[in-house]
Amino acid sequence: MVDDRDRLTTTGDGRKRKLYVPNMSPHAHPFAAAFTRAGIPAEVLPESDSETLVYGRQFTSGKECYPCILTTGDIIKQTQQPDFD
């Protein structure tokens, strides 16, 4: 029987997955820690900056709320890091 955590933490070809938590409040760190403690690797994204806003505006329509734009930018920025797979 396959453990549900295995499906959440690895891809079909065995690569490891990580949950990225947007840094939207002080609660992000305990939230990520709870996932990690439960066996699901998690990391809080860095705080938003001007580069985040550029990515966010590039990949949203402009009709979304500002936090959505920033979160989108944070996620896209993370995918651009050299160690992101």
Side-chain angles (χ1 to χ4, degrees):
M1 180 176 240
V2 177
D3 184 359
D4 285 337
R5 283 181 292 200
D6 289 338
R7 285 188 283 176
L8 292 172
T9 60
T10 57
T11 62
D13 59 2
R15 291 182 297 150
K16 295 290 183 186
R17 292 184 188 187
K18 184 184 285 186
L19 175 69
Y20 291 98
V21 180
N23 194 350
M24 297 179 75
S25 77
H27 301 96
H29 294 277
F31 191 67
F35 271 103
T36 300
R37 179 71 172 109
I40 300 169
E43 179 181 318
V44 177
L45 291 168
E47 287 192 29
S48 302
D49 58 16
S50 58
E51 185 179 6
T52 295
L53 188 56
V54 170
Y55 281 129
R57 293 208 187 277
Q58 183 179 354
F59 289 95
T60 58
S61 70
K63 296 178 182 177
E64 300 84 3
C65 64
Y66 189 65
C68 179
I69 295 168
L70 288 179
T71 302
T72 300
D74 287 335
I75 293 167
I76 298 297
K77 183 178 170 185
Q78 184 66 34
T79 67
Q80 302 303 307
Q81 299 305 309
D83 61 341
F84 185 84
D85 181 18

